[in-house]
Structures are given as structure tokens and as C-alpha cells.
Coordinates of all heavy atoms in Angstrom, one line a residue:
P285 N 245.4 148.9 -21.9 CA 246.8 149.0 -21.5 C 247.1 150.5 -21.0 O 246.4 151.4 -21.3 CB 247.5 148.7 -22.8 CG 246.5 148.1 -23.7 CD 245.2 148.5 -23.2
K286 N 248.2 150.5 -20.3 CA 248.7 151.8 -19.8 C 248.9 152.9 -20.9 O 248.6 154.0 -20.7 CB 250.0 151.6 -19.0 CG 250.5 152.8 -18.3 CD 249.8 153.0 -17.0 CE 250.5 154.0 -16.1 NZ 249.8 154.4 -15.0
S287 N 249.4 152.4 -22.1 CA 249.6 153.4 -23.2 C 248.3 154.0 -23.6 O 248.3 155.2 -24.1 CB 250.3 152.7 -24.3 OG 249.5 151.6 -24.8
D288 N 247.2 153.3 -23.6 CA 245.9 153.9 -24.0 C 245.5 155.0 -23.0 O 245.0 156.0 -23.4 CB 244.8 152.8 -24.0 CG 245.0 151.8 -25.1 OD1 245.7 152.1 -26.1 OD2 244.4 150.7 -25.0
A289 N 245.7 154.8 -21.7 CA 245.4 155.8 -20.7 C 246.3 157.0 -20.9 O 245.8 158.1 -20.8 CB 245.6 155.2 -19.3
I290 N 247.5 156.8 -21.1 CA 248.4 157.9 -21.4 C 248.0 158.7 -22.6 O 248.0 160.0 -22.6 CB 249.9 157.4 -21.4 CG1 250.3 156.9 -20.1 CG2 250.8 158.6 -21.9 CD1 251.7 156.2 -20.1
A291 N 247.7 158.0 -23.7 CA 247.3 158.7 -24.9 C 246.0 159.5 -24.7 O 245.8 160.6 -25.2 CB 247.1 157.7 -26.0
T292 N 245.1 158.9 -23.9 CA 243.8 159.6 -23.7 C 244.0 160.9 -22.9 O 243.5 161.9 -23.2 CB 242.8 158.7 -22.9 OG1 242.6 157.5 -23.7 CG2 241.5 159.4 -22.6
I293 N 244.9 160.8 -21.8 CA 245.2 162.0 -21.0 C 245.9 163.0 -21.8 O 245.6 164.2 -21.7 CB 246.0 161.5 -19.8 CG1 245.1 160.7 -18.9 CG2 246.5 162.7 -19.0 CD1 245.9 159.9 -17.8
Q294 N 246.8 162.6 -22.7 CA 247.6 163.5 -23.5 C 246.6 164.2 -24.5 O 246.7 165.5 -24.7 CB 248.7 162.8 -24.3 CG 249.9 162.5 -23.4 CD 250.9 161.6 -24.1 OE1 250.6 160.9 -25.1 NE2 252.1 161.7 -23.6
S295 N 245.7 163.5 -25.1 CA 244.7 164.1 -26.0 C 243.8 165.1 -25.3 O 243.5 166.2 -25.8 CB 243.8 163.0 -26.6 OG 244.6 162.2 -27.4
A296 N 243.4 164.8 -24.0 CA 242.6 165.7 -23.2 C 243.3 166.9 -22.9 O 242.8 168.1 -23.0 CB 242.1 165.0 -22.0
H297 N 244.6 166.8 -22.6 CA 245.4 168.0 -22.2 C 245.6 168.8 -23.5 O 245.5 170.1 -23.4 CB 246.8 167.5 -21.7 CG 247.6 168.6 -21.3 ND1 248.6 169.1 -22.1 CD2 247.6 169.4 -20.1 CE1 249.2 170.1 -21.5 NE2 248.6 170.3 -20.3
Q298 N 245.8 168.2 -24.6 CA 246.0 169.0 -25.9 C 244.7 169.8 -26.2 O 244.7 170.9 -26.7 CB 246.3 168.1 -27.0 CG 246.7 168.8 -28.3 CD 247.8 169.8 -28.1 OE1 248.9 169.4 -27.7 NE2 247.7 171.0 -28.5
M299 N 243.5 169.2 -25.9 CA 242.3 169.9 -26.2 C 242.2 171.1 -25.3 O 241.8 172.2 -25.8 CB 241.1 168.9 -25.8 CG 240.8 167.9 -26.9 SD 239.5 166.7 -26.6 CE 238.6 167.2 -25.2
L300 N 242.6 171.0 -24.0 CA 242.6 172.1 -23.1 C 243.5 173.2 -23.6 O 243.2 174.4 -23.6 CB 243.0 171.7 -21.7 CG 242.0 170.8 -21.0 CD1 242.5 170.4 -19.6 CD2 240.7 171.6 -20.8
M301 N 244.7 172.8 -24.1 CA 245.7 173.8 -24.6 C 245.2 174.5 -25.9 O 245.3 175.7 -26.0 CB 247.0 173.1 -24.9 CG 247.7 172.5 -23.7 SD 248.2 173.7 -22.4 CE 246.8 173.5 -21.2
D302 N 244.5 173.7 -26.7 CA 244.0 174.3 -28.0 C 242.9 175.3 -27.6 O 242.8 176.4 -28.3 CB 243.4 173.2 -28.9 CG 244.5 172.4 -29.5 OD1 245.7 172.8 -29.4 OD2 244.2 171.3 -30.0
L303 N 242.0 175.0 -26.7 CA 241.0 175.9 -26.3 C 241.6 177.2 -25.7 O 241.1 178.3 -25.9 CB 240.0 175.3 -25.2 CG 238.9 174.5 -25.8 CD1 238.1 173.9 -24.6 CD2 237.9 175.4 -26.6
A304 N 242.6 177.1 -24.9 CA 243.2 178.2 -24.2 C 243.8 179.2 -25.2 O 243.8 180.4 -25.0 CB 244.2 177.8 -23.2
A305 N 244.4 178.6 -26.3 CA 245.0 179.4 -27.3 C 244.1 180.0 -28.3 O 244.5 180.9 -29.1 CB 246.1 178.5 -28.0
K306 N 242.9 179.5 -28.4 CA 241.9 180.0 -29.5 C 241.4 181.4 -29.2 O 241.1 181.7 -28.1 CB 240.8 179.0 -29.5 CG 239.7 179.4 -30.5 CD 239.4 178.3 -31.5 CE 238.3 178.7 -32.4 NZ 238.7 179.4 -33.5
D307 N 241.4 182.2 -30.3 CA 240.8 183.5 -30.2 C 239.4 183.4 -30.8 O 239.2 183.0 -31.9 CB 241.6 184.5 -31.1 CG 241.0 185.9 -31.1 OD1 240.1 186.1 -30.3 OD2 241.5 186.7 -31.9
F308 N 238.4 183.7 -30.0 CA 237.0 183.5 -30.4 C 236.4 184.8 -31.0 O 235.2 184.8 -31.3 CB 236.1 183.1 -29.2 CG 236.4 181.7 -28.8 CD1 237.4 181.4 -27.8 CD2 235.8 180.6 -29.4 CE1 237.6 180.1 -27.4 CE2 236.1 179.3 -29.1 CZ 237.0 179.1 -28.1
G309 N 237.3 185.8 -31.3 CA 236.8 187.0 -32.0 C 236.0 187.9 -31.2 O 236.1 188.0 -30.0
T310 N 235.2 188.7 -31.9 CA 234.3 189.7 -31.2 C 232.9 189.5 -31.6 O 232.6 188.9 -32.7 CB 234.8 191.1 -31.6 OG1 234.7 191.2 -33.0 CG2 236.2 191.3 -31.2
D311 N 232.0 190.1 -30.9 CA 230.6 190.1 -31.2 C 230.3 191.2 -32.3 O 231.2 191.9 -32.7 CB 229.7 190.2 -30.0 CG 229.8 191.6 -29.3 OD1 230.4 192.5 -29.8 OD2 229.3 191.7 -28.2
A312 N 229.1 191.5 -32.6 CA 228.7 192.4 -33.6 C 229.1 193.9 -33.2 O 229.3 194.7 -34.1 CB 227.2 192.4 -33.9
K313 N 229.2 194.1 -31.9 CA 229.6 195.5 -31.5 C 231.1 195.6 -31.3 O 231.6 196.6 -30.8 CB 228.9 195.8 -30.1 CG 227.4 195.9 -30.3 CD 226.8 196.2 -28.9 CE 225.3 196.2 -29.1 NZ 224.6 196.5 -27.8
G314 N 231.9 194.6 -31.6 CA 233.3 194.6 -31.4 C 233.8 194.2 -30.1 O 235.0 194.4 -29.8
V315 N 233.0 193.8 -29.2 CA 233.4 193.4 -27.9 C 233.9 192.0 -27.9 O 233.3 191.1 -28.5 CB 232.2 193.4 -26.9 CG1 232.6 192.9 -25.5 CG2 231.6 194.8 -26.8
P316 N 235.1 191.7 -27.4 CA 235.7 190.4 -27.4 C 234.8 189.3 -26.8 O 234.3 189.6 -25.7 CB 237.0 190.5 -26.6 CG 237.3 192.0 -26.6 CD 236.0 192.7 -26.7
L317 N 234.7 188.2 -27.4 CA 233.9 187.1 -26.9 C 234.7 186.4 -25.8 O 236.0 186.3 -25.9 CB 233.5 186.1 -28.0 CG 232.6 186.7 -29.1 CD1 232.5 185.7 -30.2 CD2 231.2 187.0 -28.5
P318 N 234.0 185.9 -24.8 CA 234.8 185.2 -23.7 C 235.4 183.9 -24.2 O 234.9 183.3 -25.1 CB 233.7 185.0 -22.6 CG 232.4 185.0 -23.4 CD 232.6 185.9 -24.6
K319 N 236.4 183.5 -23.5 CA 237.1 182.2 -23.7 C 236.2 181.1 -23.3 O 235.4 181.2 -22.4 CB 238.4 182.1 -22.9 CG 239.5 183.1 -23.4 CD 240.2 182.5 -24.6 CE 241.4 183.4 -24.9 NZ 242.1 182.8 -26.1
V320 N 236.3 180.0 -24.0 CA 235.6 178.8 -23.6 C 236.5 178.0 -22.7 O 237.6 177.8 -22.9 CB 235.2 177.9 -24.9 CG1 234.6 176.6 -24.5 CG2 234.3 178.7 -25.8
T321 N 235.9 177.6 -21.5 CA 236.6 176.7 -20.6 C 236.1 175.3 -20.6 O 235.0 175.1 -21.0 CB 236.6 177.3 -19.2 OG1 235.2 177.4 -18.8 CG2 237.2 178.7 -19.1
C322 N 236.9 174.4 -20.1 CA 236.5 173.0 -20.1 C 237.0 172.3 -18.9 O 238.1 172.6 -18.4 CB 237.1 172.4 -21.4 SG 236.7 170.7 -21.7
R323 N 236.3 171.3 -18.4 CA 236.7 170.4 -17.4 C 236.6 169.0 -17.9 O 235.6 168.7 -18.5 CB 235.9 170.5 -16.1 CG 235.9 171.9 -15.5 CD 235.0 171.9 -14.2 NE 233.7 171.5 -14.5 CZ 232.6 172.3 -14.4 NH1 232.8 173.5 -14.1 NH2 231.4 171.9 -14.7
I324 N 237.6 168.2 -17.7 CA 237.6 166.8 -18.2 C 237.8 165.8 -17.1 O 238.7 165.9 -16.3 CB 238.7 166.7 -19.3 CG1 238.5 167.6 -20.5 CG2 238.8 165.2 -19.8 CD1 239.6 167.7 -21.5
G325 N 237.0 164.8 -17.1 CA 237.1 163.7 -16.1 C 237.4 162.4 -16.9 O 236.7 162.0 -17.8
I326 N 238.4 161.6 -16.4 CA 238.7 160.4 -17.1 C 238.8 159.3 -16.0 O 239.5 159.4 -15.0 CB 240.1 160.4 -17.8 CG1 240.1 161.5 -18.9 CG2 240.5 159.1 -18.4 CD1 241.4 161.8 -19.5
H327 N 238.0 158.2 -16.2 CA 237.9 157.1 -15.3 C 237.9 155.8 -16.2 O 237.4 155.8 -17.3 CB 236.6 157.2 -14.5 CG 236.5 156.0 -13.5 ND1 237.3 155.9 -12.5 CD2 235.5 155.1 -13.4 CE1 237.0 154.8 -11.8 NE2 235.9 154.3 -12.3
T328 N 238.6 154.8 -15.7 CA 238.7 153.5 -16.4 C 237.9 152.4 -15.7 O 237.9 152.3 -14.5 CB 240.2 153.1 -16.4 OG1 240.9 154.1 -17.0 CG2 240.4 151.8 -17.2
G329 N 237.1 151.7 -16.5 CA 236.3 150.6 -15.9 C 235.4 150.0 -17.0 O 235.4 150.4 -18.2
R330 N 234.5 149.2 -16.5 CA 233.5 148.5 -17.4 C 232.3 149.5 -17.7 O 231.9 150.2 -16.9 CB 233.0 147.3 -16.8 CG 234.1 146.2 -16.6 CD 233.6 145.1 -15.8 NE 232.4 144.5 -16.5 CZ 232.2 143.2 -16.8 NH1 233.1 142.4 -16.4 NH2 231.2 142.8 -17.4
V331 N 231.8 149.3 -19.0 CA 230.6 150.1 -19.4 C 229.8 149.1 -20.2 O 230.2 148.1 -20.7 CB 231.0 151.3 -20.2 CG1 231.8 152.3 -19.4 CG2 231.7 151.0 -21.5
I332 N 228.5 149.6 -20.4 CA 227.6 148.9 -21.3 C 227.3 149.9 -22.4 O 227.1 151.1 -22.1 CB 226.3 148.5 -20.5 CG1 226.7 147.4 -19.5 CG2 225.3 147.9 -21.5 CD1 225.5 147.0 -18.6
S333 N 227.3 149.5 -23.6 CA 227.0 150.4 -24.7 C 225.8 149.9 -25.5 O 225.5 148.7 -25.5 CB 228.2 150.6 -25.6 OG 228.6 149.4 -26.2
G334 N 225.2 150.8 -26.2 CA 224.1 150.4 -27.1 C 223.6 151.6 -27.9 O 223.9 152.8 -27.6
V335 N 222.7 151.3 -28.8 CA 222.0 152.4 -29.5 C 220.6 152.6 -28.9 O 219.9 151.6 -28.7 CB 221.9 152.0 -31.0 CG1 221.1 153.0 -31.8 CG2 223.3 151.8 -31.6
V336 N 220.3 153.8 -28.6 CA 219.0 154.1 -28.0 C 218.2 155.1 -29.0 O 218.8 155.9 -29.6 CB 219.2 154.8 -26.6 CG1 219.3 153.8 -25.5 CG2 220.3 155.8 -26.6
G337 N 216.9 154.9 -29.0 CA 216.1 155.8 -29.8 C 215.7 155.1 -31.1 O 216.5 154.3 -31.7
S338 N 214.5 155.4 -31.6 CA 214.1 154.9 -32.9 C 214.0 156.0 -33.9 O 214.3 155.7 -35.1 CB 212.7 154.1 -32.7 OG 211.8 155.0 -32.1
K339 N 213.5 157.2 -33.5 CA 213.4 158.3 -34.5 C 214.8 158.9 -34.8 O 215.1 159.2 -36.0 CB 212.5 159.3 -34.0 CG 211.0 158.9 -33.9 CD 210.2 160.1 -33.5 CE 208.7 159.6 -33.5 NZ 207.8 160.7 -33.1
K340 N 215.6 159.0 -33.8 CA 217.0 159.5 -34.0 C 217.9 158.7 -33.2 O 218.3 159.0 -32.0 CB 217.0 161.0 -33.5 CG 218.4 161.6 -33.8 CD 218.4 163.1 -33.3 CE 219.8 163.6 -33.5 NZ 219.9 164.9 -32.8
P341 N 218.3 157.5 -33.7 CA 219.2 156.6 -32.9 C 220.5 157.3 -32.5 O 221.1 158.0 -33.3 CB 219.4 155.5 -33.9 CG 218.4 155.6 -34.9 CD 218.0 157.0 -35.0
Q342 N 220.9 157.0 -31.3 CA 222.2 157.6 -30.8 C 222.9 156.5 -30.0 O 222.3 155.6 -29.3 CB 222.0 158.7 -29.8 CG 221.3 159.9 -30.5 CD 221.1 161.1 -29.5 OE1 221.4 160.9 -28.3 NE2 220.7 162.2 -30.0
F343 N 224.3 156.5 -30.2 CA 225.1 155.5 -29.4 C 225.3 156.1 -28.0 O 225.6 157.3 -27.9 CB 226.4 155.4 -30.2 CG 227.3 154.4 -29.5 CD1 227.1 153.0 -29.7 CD2 228.4 154.8 -28.7 CE1 228.0 152.1 -29.1 CE2 229.2 153.8 -28.1 CZ 229.0 152.5 -28.3
A344 N 225.2 155.2 -27.0 CA 225.3 155.7 -25.6 C 226.1 154.7 -24.8 O 226.2 153.5 -25.1 CB 223.9 155.9 -25.0
L345 N 226.8 155.3 -23.8 CA 227.5 154.4 -22.8 C 226.8 154.6 -21.4 O 226.4 155.7 -21.1 CB 228.9 154.9 -22.6 CG 229.8 154.8 -23.9 CD1 231.2 155.5 -23.6 CD2 230.1 153.3 -24.2
F346 N 226.7 153.5 -20.7 CA 226.1 153.4 -19.4 C 226.9 152.7 -18.4 O 227.7 151.9 -18.7 CB 224.7 152.7 -19.5 CG 223.8 153.2 -20.5 CD1 223.8 152.7 -21.8 CD2 223.0 154.3 -20.3 CE1 222.9 153.1 -22.8 CE2 222.1 154.8 -21.2 CZ 222.1 154.2 -22.5
G347 N 226.8 153.1 -17.1 CA 227.4 152.4 -16.0 C 228.1 153.3 -15.1 O 228.2 154.5 -15.2
D348 N 228.6 152.6 -14.0 CA 229.3 153.4 -12.9 C 230.5 154.1 -13.4 O 230.9 155.2 -12.9 CB 229.7 152.5 -11.8 CG 228.5 152.0 -11.0 OD1 227.4 152.7 -11.0 OD2 228.6 151.0 -10.3
T349 N 231.2 153.6 -14.4 CA 232.4 154.2 -15.0 C 232.1 155.5 -15.6 O 232.7 156.5 -15.4 CB 233.1 153.3 -16.0 OG1 233.4 152.1 -15.4 CG2 234.3 153.9 -16.6
V350 N 231.0 155.6 -16.3 CA 230.5 156.8 -17.0 C 230.1 157.8 -15.9 O 230.5 159.0 -16.0 CB 229.4 156.5 -17.9 CG1 228.9 157.8 -18.6 CG2 229.8 155.6 -19.0
N351 N 229.4 157.3 -14.9 CA 228.9 158.2 -13.8 C 230.1 158.8 -13.0 O 230.1 160.0 -12.7 CB 228.0 157.5 -12.9 CG 226.7 157.0 -13.6 OD1 226.3 157.6 -14.6 ND2 226.1 156.0 -13.1
T352 N 231.1 158.0 -12.8 CA 232.3 158.5 -12.0 C 233.0 159.6 -12.8 O 233.4 160.6 -12.3 CB 233.2 157.3 -11.7 OG1 232.5 156.4 -10.9 CG2 234.5 157.8 -11.0
A353 N 233.2 159.3 -14.1 CA 233.9 160.3 -14.9 C 233.1 161.6 -15.0 O 233.6 162.7 -15.0 CB 234.1 159.7 -16.3
A354 N 231.8 161.5 -15.1 CA 230.9 162.7 -15.2 C 231.0 163.5 -13.9 O 231.0 164.7 -13.9 CB 229.5 162.2 -15.4
R355 N 231.0 162.8 -12.7 CA 231.1 163.5 -11.4 C 232.5 164.2 -11.3 O 232.6 165.3 -10.8 CB 230.9 162.5 -10.3 CG 229.5 162.3 -9.9 CD 229.3 161.6 -8.5 NE 230.0 160.3 -8.5 CZ 229.5 159.2 -8.9 NH1 228.3 159.1 -9.4 NH2 230.2 158.1 -8.8
M356 N 233.5 163.5 -11.8 CA 234.9 164.1 -11.7 C 234.9 165.4 -12.6 O 235.5 166.4 -12.2 CB 235.9 163.1 -12.2 CG 236.2 161.9 -11.3 SD 237.2 160.7 -12.1 CE 238.7 161.6 -12.4
Q357 N 234.3 165.3 -13.7 CA 234.2 166.5 -14.6 C 233.4 167.6 -14.0 O 233.8 168.7 -14.0 CB 233.7 166.0 -16.0 CG 233.4 167.2 -16.9 CD 232.1 167.8 -16.8 OE1 231.1 167.2 -16.6 NE2 232.0 169.1 -16.9
S358 N 232.2 167.3 -13.5 CA 231.3 168.3 -13.0 C 231.8 169.0 -11.7 O 231.5 170.2 -11.5 CB 229.9 167.8 -12.8 OG 229.9 166.8 -11.8
T359 N 232.6 168.3 -10.9 CA 233.1 168.9 -9.7 C 234.6 169.4 -9.8 O 235.1 169.9 -8.8 CB 233.0 167.9 -8.5 OG1 233.7 166.8 -8.8 CG2 231.5 167.5 -8.3
G360 N 235.2 169.2 -10.9 CA 236.6 169.5 -11.1 C 236.9 171.0 -11.3 O 236.0 171.8 -11.5
K361 N 238.2 171.3 -11.4 CA 238.6 172.7 -11.7 C 238.6 172.9 -13.2 O 239.0 172.0 -14.0 CB 240.0 172.9 -11.1 CG 240.1 173.0 -9.6 CD 241.5 173.2 -9.2 CE 242.1 174.5 -9.6 NZ 243.4 174.8 -9.0
E362 N 238.2 174.1 -13.6 CA 238.2 174.4 -15.0 C 239.7 174.4 -15.5 O 240.6 174.8 -14.8 CB 237.6 175.8 -15.2 CG 236.1 175.9 -15.1 CD 235.6 177.3 -15.3 OE1 236.4 178.2 -15.6 OE2 234.4 177.4 -15.3
G363 N 239.8 174.0 -16.8 CA 241.1 173.9 -17.4 C 242.0 172.8 -16.9 O 243.2 172.9 -17.1
H364 N 241.5 171.8 -16.3 CA 242.2 170.7 -15.8 C 241.7 169.3 -16.3 O 240.5 169.2 -16.5 CB 242.2 170.6 -14.2 CG 243.0 171.7 -13.6 ND1 242.6 173.0 -13.6 CD2 244.3 171.7 -13.0 CE1 243.6 173.8 -13.0 NE2 244.6 173.0 -12.6
V365 N 242.6 168.4 -16.4 CA 242.2 167.0 -16.7 C 242.2 166.2 -15.3 O 243.2 166.2 -14.7 CB 243.2 166.3 -17.7 CG1 242.8 164.9 -17.9 CG2 243.3 167.1 -19.0
H366 N 241.1 165.7 -15.0 CA 240.9 165.0 -13.7 C 240.9 163.5 -14.0 O 240.2 163.0 -14.8 CB 239.6 165.4 -13.0 CG 239.6 166.8 -12.8 ND1 240.2 167.5 -11.8 CD2 239.0 167.8 -13.5 CE1 240.0 168.8 -11.9 NE2 239.3 169.0 -12.9
C367 N 241.8 162.8 -13.4 CA 242.1 161.4 -13.7 C 241.9 160.5 -12.4 O 242.5 160.9 -11.4 CB 243.5 161.2 -14.2 SG 244.0 159.6 -14.6
S368 N 241.1 159.5 -12.5 CA 240.8 158.6 -11.3 C 242.0 157.7 -11.0 O 242.9 157.5 -11.9 CB 239.6 157.8 -11.5 OG 239.9 156.8 -12.5
D369 N 242.1 157.1 -9.8 CA 243.1 156.2 -9.5 C 243.2 155.0 -10.4 O 244.2 154.5 -10.7 CB 242.9 155.7 -8.0 CG 243.3 156.7 -7.0 OD1 244.1 157.7 -7.3 OD2 242.9 156.6 -5.8
S370 N 242.0 154.5 -10.8 CA 242.0 153.3 -11.7 C 242.6 153.6 -13.1 O 243.2 152.8 -13.7 CB 240.6 152.8 -11.9 OG 239.8 153.7 -12.6
T371 N 242.5 154.9 -13.5 CA 243.2 155.2 -14.8 C 244.7 155.5 -14.5 O 245.5 155.1 -15.3 CB 242.5 156.5 -15.4 OG1 241.1 156.2 -15.6 CG2 243.2 156.9 -16.7
Y372 N 245.0 156.2 -13.4 CA 246.4 156.5 -13.1 C 247.2 155.3 -12.9 O 248.4 155.3 -13.4 CB 246.4 157.4 -11.9 CG 247.8 157.9 -11.6 CD1 248.3 159.0 -12.2 CD2 248.5 157.4 -10.6 CE1 249.6 159.5 -11.9 CE2 249.8 157.8 -10.2 CZ 250.3 158.9 -10.9 OH 251.5 159.4 -10.6
N373 N 246.7 154.3 -12.2 CA 247.4 153.1 -11.9 C 247.2 152.1 -13.0 O 247.8 151.1 -13.2 CB 247.0 152.5 -10.6 CG 247.3 153.5 -9.4 OD1 248.4 154.1 -9.5 ND2 246.4 153.6 -8.5

């Protein structure tokens, strides 16, 4: 539903705001540590999920939806939430 997309975008935006406001302190010599930046991509669609691995099982998502969100994130501007048309509409 539309409300889920709005909640997801609002959560992503809040994460960006929290990162921007965080003071990461200084290193051992007293030099301020750099800020952490983030890019977020949100896309809506079908995925396949499952547990992979036998020694260290991990839950994973697969599919074009995941790939699209990853491309949006990797090519987007730092400090922004990038939202696809399928999520926006």
C-alpha cells in the first residue's frame, strides 16, 4: 500500500538526517573524524527470498527489484533518498 512506501521513504530520510547530525568524534591525535555519508535507493516490485549458505546461513533477496534499487543507490547523490516511479506512484 501507499502508506508502506511513504513510511519507508520517511524512515530512509530520518536515517540521513541522523547521520548528518551525528558527531563522530576525533582520532587518537585529536583530528576530527569525517562524516559518514549515505545514498539510498528505493524501488517497489517482486523479489525472491531465501536462506543461502550452510556454514553461515544468511537471508537474501534476489531479483530485478533489488538490482534496480542497488543501481539507484550506487549512481545517486550522497545524502539523498532516490525513489523509483513504481514506488512514487
Side-chain angles (χ1 to χ4, degrees):
K286 186 78 166 173
S287 61
D288 291 342
I290 292 169
T292 301
I293 294 165
Q294 288 173 334
S295 294
H297 184 261
Q298 186 60 53
M299 286 179 5
L300 291 175
M301 296 298 100
D302 291 347
L303 271 177
K306 177 126 177 84
D307 178 10
F308 289 93
T310 59
D311 66 11
K313 295 180 181 178
V315 177
L317 294 171
K319 293 278 188 180
V320 173
T321 59
C322 184
R323 297 181 305 245
I324 299 173
I326 301 174
H327 181 63
T328 302
R330 296 175 55 133
V331 296
I332 297 173
S333 64
V335 177
V336 276
S338 56
K339 291 185 179 182
K340 185 181 174 191
Q342 295 181 355
F343 183 77
L345 294 174
F346 305 95
D348 288 339
T349 300
V350 177
N351 298 336
T352 300
R355 274 194 305 276
M356 291 171 59
Q357 174 272 322
S358 66
T359 60
K361 289 177 66 174
E362 288 182 357
H364 287 76
V365 178
H366 305 280
C367 179
S368 69
D369 284 341
S370 66
T371 301
Y372 184 81
N373 297 320

